[in-house]
Amino acid sequence: MASKRLAVTKAELEDVNVALKKESSYLGICGSDLSRYAAQLEEKERLLMQIVELQVHLKAAAPPPGPPANFDRCSLPKVVQHMLDYEAVPTECIKALRALASLAYKDVNEVASHRTGMAQLLRLVQLHPDEDQLQLAAMKCLCHLAFENDIAR
């Protein structure tokens, strides 16, 4: 997904640079505004390249053998352990993230202070960029965390 956006951004940046060299306009933008737009595209390209590089090196750990284990949805350590054990299985990640969101709603400080849980939440988002339900479950959890001003900062 990021690699496609990177390719589109590179192509657009090339078109913008051609317009700058010819001192013409691009999508109705010209002059110093076009130069600023080119700088913004360069920054976007740089950030997308970093994301693509991270995604190349990211590999999900294999899940334990056998059917997925049940876990206590009311226990933060058990939820986080399930997220760690089944990070390669999107449906299990979704279950754990929904439980994490529920825990974050009940006790935002406990969830936010669990460093492994927060790191794994972000890792799951990166591991499964095309899993919409997983992305939504992760964002719901982050939204619950964002309601606490001290944590959101």
Side-chain angles (χ1 to χ4, degrees):
M1 189 159 152
S3 58
K4 289 179 186 175
R5 281 193 265 168
L6 177 60
V8 169
T9 301
K10 283 185 177 211
E12 184 175 11
L13 183 57
E14 187 176 310
D15 292 344
V16 168
N17 285 331
V18 167
L20 280 170
K21 286 179 185 173
K22 292 181 178 179
E23 296 182 5
S24 62
S25 68
Y26 176 80
L27 298 176
I29 307 169
C30 59
S32 63
D33 289 338
L34 188 57
S35 295
R36 276 194 298 274
Y37 184 61
Q40 290 171 344
L41 281 176
E42 288 170 357
E43 178 65 10
K44 181 179 179 181
E45 179 186 37
R46 185 186 66 76
L47 292 171
L48 286 171
M49 288 172 69
Q50 289 177 349
I51 291 169
V52 168
E53 187 175 316
L54 284 173
Q55 288 176 342
V56 167
H57 299 296
L58 219 56
K59 300 271 190 247
N70 292 326
F71 64 99
D72 181 1
R73 289 169 164 70
C74 296
S75 168
L76 180 58
K78 301 279 187 189
V79 170
V80 171
Q81 190 59 51
H82 198 77
M83 290 166 54
L84 292 165
D85 291 343
Y86 293 96
E87 70 178 13
V89 185
T91 54
E92 293 303 311
C93 293
I94 293 168
K95 290 178 191 176
L97 287 169
R98 287 179 178 158
L100 187 66
S102 178
L103 291 169
Y105 183 78
K106 290 178 189 171
D107 189 352
V108 69
N109 290 315
E110 180 186 13
V111 173
S113 65
H114 199 288
R115 292 191 183 275
T116 305
M118 292 298 89
Q120 187 63 12
L121 181 147
L122 296 175
R123 179 173 164 77
L124 293 177
V125 168
Q126 291 176 332
L127 283 171
H128 304 286
D130 298 325
E131 295 290 337
D132 293 340
Q133 292 302 313
L134 188 145
Q135 297 290 322
L136 287 172
M139 293 309 116
K140 184 174 183 178
C141 184
L142 290 173
C143 285
H144 289 319
L145 294 169
F147 278 114
E148 182 67 35
N149 286 337
D150 293 337
I151 293 169
R153 290 181 197 156

